[in-house]
Amino acid sequence: MISFKFLQQSKTTLLISRHLMPLLIIAVLAALSSVGMFALMFYPAQDRYIRATAIFQSAQQTQAKIQIAQQTQGIIATTWKALSDYRKFTDLSLDIADLAKRNHVQIPGMGYDFKPFPHNFFAKGTFAFEAQGPYEAIRKFIYELEKRWPYLFIEKLSVESSKKKNGVIFKITVSTFLKEFPRNLKKDKA
């Protein structure tokens, strides 16, 4: 075995160095193998951890998107249930006329129209009418109209003073979306 000169100063040191040298080599090899095993275990584990974290974050984002989509589907379903079909839409004109009478507003006539959207999945129904009466009564009528039917939108609103009576004339166009388009009112191209 190899002995170092500084360890050869005495017989005891020489004996100890001969017996400790293998232990020192074993200790160094054990330390190197520990560092090697650490590297072999740590870096792949770190890579797996990074991949798992990325997958987890992706899953959280997907879950958040799914929850938002489910909430949106719920809102759409609720809105769809609240929309009327074209048969009930025509009855809405009578309800609007009754609301006007309760608010002391006169509606001499009312017209309505249907407009289909692409693929005839739903339609837009529009009422056009003039409302005559005192300004305060018409203002209250419009407020109650919007409050009572939240899916009825005022598209156009113009005002002018009434020449016949004390009051104002409002020209109002309101519309809403309908669940279906009336097939028999569809115009055919010749």
Side-chain angles (χ1 to χ4, degrees):
M1 199 161 203
I2 302 174
S3 58
F4 297 107
K5 289 184 181 181
F6 66 89
L7 295 175
Q8 294 179 354
Q9 295 176 1
S10 74
K11 211 176 198 184
T12 312
T13 321
L14 185 61
L15 282 172
I16 291 175
S17 68
R18 284 185 182 165
H19 294 291
L20 285 181
M21 194 53 75
L23 289 176
L24 180 64
I25 292 172
I26 290 174
V28 169
L29 288 176
L32 288 175
S33 68
S34 295
V35 169
M37 288 303 291
F38 174 77
L40 287 174
M41 300 290 273
F42 177 75
Y43 293 115
Q46 188 178 21
D47 289 342
R48 285 193 308 269
Y49 173 73
I50 290 171
R51 282 195 307 268
T53 303
I55 291 170
F56 177 70
Q57 289 174 348
S58 174
Q60 280 183 323
Q61 290 173 352
T62 303
Q63 182 183 14
K65 288 177 183 178
I66 288 172
Q67 287 174 346
I68 290 170
Q70 287 173 341
Q71 290 172 350
T72 304
Q73 284 177 340
I75 292 169
I76 290 172
T78 304
T79 304
W80 190 256
K81 287 179 186 176
L83 294 178
S84 61
D85 61 6
Y86 73 93
R87 290 172 209 90
K88 293 180 184 175
F89 177 73
T90 54
D91 294 339
L92 184 60
S93 64
L94 300 173
D95 294 337
I96 291 173
D98 288 341
L99 180 65
K101 283 182 186 176
R102 282 193 304 256
N103 287 297
H104 308 292
V105 173
Q106 299 169 358
I107 298 179
M110 187 179 297
Y112 64 90
D113 187 27
F114 297 104
K115 178 184 173 189
F117 282 90
H119 308 293
N120 292 334
F121 187 60
F122 58 94
K124 178 180 174 184
T126 305
F127 287 116
F129 58 92
E130 289 184 359
Q132 300 173 359
Y135 175 79
E136 294 81 17
I138 293 177
R139 185 175 59 84
K140 185 178 177 188
F141 164 70
I142 292 173
Y143 171 76
E144 289 183 14
L145 180 76
E146 289 180 327
K147 185 179 175 185
R148 185 168 177 191
W149 296 287
Y151 299 108
L152 195 62
F153 303 100
I154 297 177
E155 284 188 358
K156 294 180 186 175
L157 181 65
S158 63
V159 63
E160 59 186 54
S161 61
S162 176
K163 296 176 184 173
K164 295 180 182 177
K165 298 180 180 179
N166 257 351
V168 291
I169 299 174
F170 274 78
K171 294 180 181 178
I172 302 173
T173 303
V174 294
S175 64
T176 189
F177 294 102
L178 306 171
K179 289 182 186 178
E180 60 183 79
F181 181 72
R183 306 282 183 237
N184 57 350
L185 297 177
K186 198 174 187 181
K187 294 179 182 176
D188 293 328
K189 292 183 180 181

